[in-house]
Amino acid sequence: MDFTNPLVYGVPCFLGLILVELTYSKAHNHKLYNWKDLGSSLFMGIGSVILAPLIKTISAIVIFNYLYELCNPIVNGVRTNILGYQSFGYAWYVWVACQFLDDFTYYWFHRQNHMVRFLWAAH
C-alpha cells in the first residue's frame, strides 16, 4: 500500500465523516442528510474507480492498434514499416511535434471528460 497517496487517508476520512453526519442527523431527528446525494456520490466514486482504468485501457488498446495498422500496413502479404526509425529517427523536431500533439490530445480528452456524462463518472 502506498502511504504517500492522499486517497489512502482521504477515503476513510470521507466515509467516516459521512457516518458522523448520518448519525448526527438521525440522533437529532433532523433531515440534514440527503440520500440522493449519498447515492450520487457513491455512484460517482465507484464509477471513477471502475470506469477510469477501463476506459483508459480500452482507449489505449484501440488507439495503439489503429496506429500500428496505419503505420505498418500489409503490402503484398508482408507487413511494411512506413514510419519506423529509418523514416525520422531521433530528429529533434519530431520530439517537439510529439510533445505538442500529446498535450493537444490530452486537452481534448480532458475536455470531453467534462462534457460527456459517462466520461465524467470516470474523471
Side-chain angles (χ1 to χ4, degrees):
M1 182 179 290
D2 182 15
F3 289 105
T4 60
N5 185 351
L7 291 177
V8 171
Y9 305 105
V11 171
C13 289
F14 179 69
L15 293 175
L17 289 172
I18 288 174
L19 290 174
V20 168
E21 182 182 14
L22 181 61
T23 304
Y24 178 81
S25 180
K26 289 284 185 183
H28 290 55
N29 210 11
H30 296 297
K31 294 188 178 186
L32 300 174
Y33 205 77
N34 189 347
W35 290 100
K36 288 183 180 180
D37 287 344
L38 173 67
S40 176
S41 295
L42 287 175
F43 183 73
M44 294 295 283
I46 291 168
S48 177
V49 168
I50 294 172
L51 291 179
L54 186 64
I55 288 173
K56 290 175 184 175
T57 302
I58 291 172
S59 298
I61 291 170
V62 168
I63 290 168
F64 288 138
N65 188 43
Y66 172 75
L67 289 175
Y68 179 77
E69 293 296 329
L70 178 71
C71 297
N72 298 298
I74 296 176
V75 178
N76 297 328
V78 177
R79 192 161 295 277
T80 306
N81 185 0
I82 61 172
L83 289 177
Y85 289 111
Q86 295 81 12
S87 296
F88 52 76
Y90 291 103
W92 66 270
Y93 54 86
V94 173
W95 291 99
V96 171
C98 286
Q99 289 294 317
F100 280 108
L101 288 171
D102 181 55
D103 191 49
F104 180 75
T105 56
Y106 179 76
Y107 167 78
W108 283 104
F109 169 74
H110 192 207
R111 184 175 173 136
Q112 291 306 309
N113 277 326
H114 284 267
M115 297 178 75
V116 178
R117 286 184 178 199
F118 182 73
L119 297 176
W120 178 249
H123 180 51

